[in-house]
Amino acid sequence: MGRQQRWRSAAYAACFMALPLYVASVPAACALTAEINGVEGDIEENISAYLESIDEKQYTDVRLEGEIRSRTQEAMRVYGYYEPDIKIELKPAVRLAIEPGPRIEIEVLSINVEGDAKDDPPFKDALDDFPLREGEPLRHAPWDSLRSQFSGLAIERGYFDWSFTDRRMEVRPYLQSARLYMDFDSGPRYRFGNTYITGSHIDPERLQNLQTYEDDEPYLAESLATYNQRLAETGWFRSVTVRPRLETAQELTITPQGGGDPWFSEATATQPTRPLISSAALASVLMLNKRDNTRLPIDVNVEPADRHQFEVGIGYATDVGPRLRFSWHQPWINSYGHSLDHDLYLSAPEQRFTGVYNIPLEDPLRDSYRLQYGIRNIDDSDTRSLEAGVELGRRWLFDNDWVQTIYFRTTYEDFTQGGEADQVWLFYPGIQWSRARTRPQRFPLWGDRQQLSVEYSDRVWGSDAKFTRLTGDTEWIRTIGNDNRFSTRLSVGAIETDDFSKLPPSLRFFAGGDRSVRGYSYESLSPRNAEGRLRGGQQMLTSSLEYQRRVKDNWWGATFIDVGDAFDNWGPNDLKTGAGVGVRWISPVGPIRLDVAHPFDHEDAFRLHFSIGPEF
């Protein structure tokens, strides 16, 4: 069987697979409901499914009875009942009394795989897992499934010349027996040939490093899909298409009168035009050079992404009030795939401007250098700070989705904290491990996030303060059923230093607010100096447990309890506690959260928390 015919067969199969969708779309008002006696379980359900699309109004009684009988017989045949006795009553309601009769048993079962697929593990597994055996009752579904499985594996694994040399189901109802024959010839397995990239503005070597297959390696459709995905994830391209080039007899031979099948013209529209030869000449060529014919060239067509991309975001949270963000993203600035991002964030207590220059290495998705820089101004409660910093880091993405970053940071900060002012230069290296997993993205029903970082500064290399700083965060989201969602969070931090007064506010710990301990205002929890002003803590611990219940559609109710504080010594006598209730709405722009929280150390006190945006 040629590939053109198999494509046509696939189209027919798609039409038949779409039939149940059409049947399911028939309005309930047209569905025929019947009382079925004599069979149960899967057989009864299958009969009901076959009958429900019948519109009684379209039939006379005689035709309706004939249609019901015909469909019932067809529904039972797939379970091996070929001679059922069916009695039908139409009035006052449709009733079926069924005597199933003898069930067909498999007398002969012969399934053979020839060609290169004979020793291919997925084909062997398909045969080993086939549930039918000689002497057992006949069922059509596994037989049809195996046929589809063979053809699907052939397309996925590069057996493009496959065919069924024999495929028969011989049923003898009078002997209550069936003989099943299936001979599948896979032909040779195609291999990856040369890869041709068109439309790329990026150095081809960069794209070749992302390839998930080697030249002359056995063809695997999954490898092409993964390569397509990896190219898209770089952000360098607006569109990406990776597909094998069709170089079959149908493409190379003279087109038949009438122009051939439409599928072929569409499939080869982007392929280069080559001279056409006769079928006989082609057969001779293929016999002389059979190995080369199984090498399949791969065409990669890409379109560059816009060089400048802009985004504006507006939000609100009770912690910071209205906020505005303007982003300028350059996904590529040269042929090596370097990228540049700038971000401007404005709110009442904080304004910052940051930039990230990314230099991808041999594997652009996993390894890169990053240069980050920025300036930030904070004017909030007892904190005044103007900070400027530069950071150079090396980033690795591992197979388990953990990201490791080693960096060196330079920071200048002019600050006043709790009435104490200073100016410091800090030079310190650090290492961070992080991972975030969510599904779905907008409002995760499953997900978790971890982050652990260690930083160290010393006066030996010119830093104004010596310290070791450790921070850790973990957050988990799990859902039971479709309507019960649980979220828990834990954050810890600690600083070891001989001169805490030299540490700027950006490195000290504060607690309280929408993402910390609700019931307390933003960063209002920390040790205070003699004047009662916040000065920040050397340690911090916060935790949260929240239960959410779907009320209707995208509306959820929530109840929660938060515990935590920032302090100077581990084991504080009294952690702050807040608890409350809230509402979640999954809006088109992201989750909107409204909480009312009560701090336990203040009687009759309540605080409103409102925020927009994802949890992770």
Side-chain angles (χ1 to χ4, degrees):
M1 182 186 296
R3 198 184 315 175
Q4 177 177 349
Q5 185 175 348
R6 285 193 297 278
W7 277 100
R8 189 186 301 113
S9 299
Y12 294 157
C15 293
F16 283 113
M17 287 188 289
L19 180 59
L21 299 178
Y22 167 77
V23 171
S25 67
V26 175
C30 297
L32 182 144
T33 303
E35 179 184 327
I36 301 173
N37 299 304
V39 293
E40 57 185 17
D42 292 340
I43 301 175
E44 181 183 3
E45 292 179 4
N46 201 45
I47 294 173
S48 297
Y50 269 70
L51 298 181
E52 68 179 3
S53 61
I54 297 177
D55 183 1
E56 298 179 64
K57 298 178 181 179
Q58 303 298 321
Y59 295 86
T60 63
D61 287 351
V62 174
R63 289 185 58 214
L64 177 60
E65 181 176 343
E67 185 70 14
I68 292 174
R69 187 179 305 278
S70 174
R71 294 198 185 195
T72 302
Q73 290 172 339
E74 185 178 355
M76 296 186 65
R77 194 173 296 132
V78 299
Y79 287 96
Y81 294 100
Y82 274 68
E83 295 182 316
D85 183 16
I86 306 171
K87 293 185 169 96
I88 303 173
E89 294 181 12
L90 300 180
K91 306 295 183 180
V94 178
R95 291 186 178 88
L96 278 70
I98 301 173
E99 174 58 46
R103 192 171 188 182
I104 302 297
E105 291 186 355
I106 300 174
E107 178 185 359
V108 176
L109 179 62
S110 176
I111 304 175
N112 301 292
V113 176
E114 300 296 335
D116 288 356
K118 184 176 182 178
D119 298 319
D120 198 352
F123 284 88
K124 297 173 71 174
D125 292 342
L127 287 175
D128 292 341
D129 295 339
F130 186 62
L132 300 183
R133 297 290 184 270
E134 289 184 358
E136 295 183 353
L138 172 65
R139 289 180 290 134
H140 289 204
W143 181 255
D144 295 337
S145 177
L146 182 64
R147 179 185 59 190
S148 299
Q149 191 174 3
F150 278 169
S151 58
L153 285 172
I155 297 298
E156 292 172 10
R157 302 183 66 79
Y159 300 98
F160 296 114
D161 297 327
W162 64 270
S163 65
F164 287 101
T165 56
D166 192 8
R167 189 180 63 201
R168 290 177 290 147
M169 178 186 290
E170 298 178 356
V171 180
R172 295 172 170 83
Y174 54 92
L175 297 176
Q176 291 98 53
S177 68
R179 298 179 179 184
L180 279 60
Y181 304 92
M182 184 182 295
D183 292 336
F184 178 83
D185 185 359
S186 69
R189 186 173 184 181
Y190 282 68
R191 312 181 80 81
F192 286 112
N194 296 330
T195 299
Y196 300 93
I197 301 173
T198 58
S200 177
H201 55 296
I202 302 298
D203 185 350
E205 184 177 350
R206 294 281 182 178
L207 306 189
Q208 291 168 0
N209 290 337
L210 291 169
Q211 276 186 204
T212 52
Y213 56 87
E214 299 292 337
D215 187 30
D216 207 40
E217 184 179 89
Y219 177 89
L220 194 61
E222 183 181 0
S223 297
L224 292 188
T226 303
Y227 185 32
N228 196 108
Q229 179 181 350
R230 299 193 74 192
L231 290 174
E233 287 176 353
T234 63
W236 296 333
F237 308 108
R238 176 184 299 172
S239 65
V240 177
T241 303
V242 180
R243 60 185 176 186
R245 182 182 300 172
L246 299 177
E247 288 188 340
T248 65
Q250 286 86 354
E251 180 186 6
L252 296 174
T253 54
I254 297 174
T255 304
Q257 292 184 356
D261 287 346
W263 77 270
F264 178 76
S265 300
E266 181 179 350
T268 59
T270 61
Q271 307 301 330
T273 302
R274 289 183 288 276
L276 300 179
I277 60 178
S278 69
S279 300
L282 175 64
S284 300
V285 170
L286 294 182
M287 290 298 295
L288 291 173
N289 195 4
K290 188 174 182 180
R291 183 179 182 277
D292 287 345
N293 186 53
T294 62
R295 284 176 51 85
L296 199 62
I298 305 301
D299 288 319
V300 179
N301 299 303
V302 296
E303 182 180 352
D306 293 336
R307 195 165 188 174
H308 301 279
Q309 301 174 11
F310 303 93
E311 184 177 351
V312 177
I314 300 175
Y316 179 88
T318 50
D319 284 347
V320 299
R323 56 192 180 193
L324 173 66
R325 169 166 285 156
F326 179 80
S327 299
W328 174 23
H329 177 50
Q330 294 176 267
W332 58 276
I333 58 176
N334 56 33
S335 63
Y336 297 104
H338 295 190
S339 61
L340 184 61
D341 291 301
H342 285 108
D343 187 86
L344 176 65
Y345 173 85
L346 301 173
S347 68
E350 179 182 357
Q351 306 84 45
R352 67 173 181 265
F353 175 77
T354 58
V356 179
Y357 188 86
N358 186 67
I359 304 173
L361 299 179
E362 185 175 354
D363 188 338
L365 295 179
R366 294 182 175 273
D367 303 320
S368 63
Y369 284 111
R370 290 189 175 185
L371 176 64
Q372 303 186 53
Y373 48 89
I375 185 169
R376 181 173 69 164
N377 180 68
I378 297 179
D379 186 352
D380 180 42
S381 187
D382 295 330
T383 303
R384 307 285 187 278
S385 172
L386 180 62
E387 174 191 3
V390 177
E391 175 185 305
L392 178 63
R394 173 76 158 84
R395 177 184 180 273
W396 295 265
L397 173 63
F398 300 119
D399 291 337
N400 57 7
D401 293 331
W402 280 92
V403 177
Q404 175 180 276
T405 305
I406 297 178
Y407 56 88
F408 186 85
R409 183 177 297 163
T410 300
T411 300
Y412 170 79
E413 195 159 345
D414 183 352
F415 67 90
T416 300
Q417 182 64 55
E420 300 177 4
D422 207 342
Q423 300 175 356
V424 296
W425 278 96
L426 299 176
F427 307 95
Y428 55 95
I431 183 170
Q432 181 185 88
W433 298 274
S434 63
R435 182 177 70 175
R437 303 178 297 176
T438 61
R439 58 175 189 259
Q441 190 71 32
R442 189 174 60 148
F443 184 69
L445 299 178
W446 183 96
D448 55 70
R449 176 183 63 87
Q450 280 72 239
Q451 179 175 301
L452 176 66
S453 61
V454 181
E455 299 168 328
Y456 178 74
S457 176
D458 202 308
R459 294 186 182 90
V460 172
W461 51 68
S463 191
D464 287 338
K466 179 180 179 181
F467 66 84
T468 301
R469 187 173 186 266
L470 182 146
T471 59
D473 297 277
T474 182
E475 187 168 358
W476 298 77
I477 295 174
R478 293 294 186 267
T479 304
I480 298 178
N482 294 321
D483 302 325
N484 299 283
R485 186 174 185 263
F486 295 87
S487 173
T488 183
R489 182 180 68 249
L490 175 68
S491 297
V492 296
I495 301 173
E496 181 63 35
T497 181
D498 56 2
D499 189 1
F500 185 71
S501 64
K502 282 291 187 179
L503 263 65
S506 60
L507 297 178
R508 302 184 188 188
F509 293 112
F510 301 85
D514 299 340
R515 296 286 299 157
S516 181
V517 183
R518 284 164 287 190
Y520 298 86
S521 60
Y522 180 58
E523 295 191 345
S524 64
L525 300 179
S526 87
R528 298 177 181 266
N529 58 21
E531 299 176 354
R533 296 181 177 181
L534 298 171
R535 63 178 183 83
Q538 288 188 238
Q539 287 92 34
M540 181 268 297
L541 171 65
T542 65
S543 63
S544 174
L545 178 62
E546 181 170 316
Y547 166 67
Q548 299 171 8
R549 172 75 180 178
R550 188 194 303 270
V551 179
K552 185 179 180 181
D553 298 331
N554 289 327
W555 288 90
W556 296 68
T559 181
F560 58 85
I561 181 169
D562 299 339
V563 178
D565 204 349
F567 39 86
D568 287 332
N569 296 293
W570 281 111
N573 294 328
D574 185 23
L575 291 174
K576 306 299 182 183
T577 302
V581 296
V583 176
R584 309 285 181 264
W585 177 45
I586 318 306
S587 74
V589 298
I592 296 178
R593 297 180 291 276
L594 176 64
D595 294 324
V596 179
H598 169 61
F600 279 24
D601 60 350
H602 292 79
E603 293 185 5
D604 300 326
F606 292 90
R607 185 170 184 82
L608 189 68
H609 295 271
F610 178 79
S611 60
I612 303 175
E615 291 164 293
F616 286 179

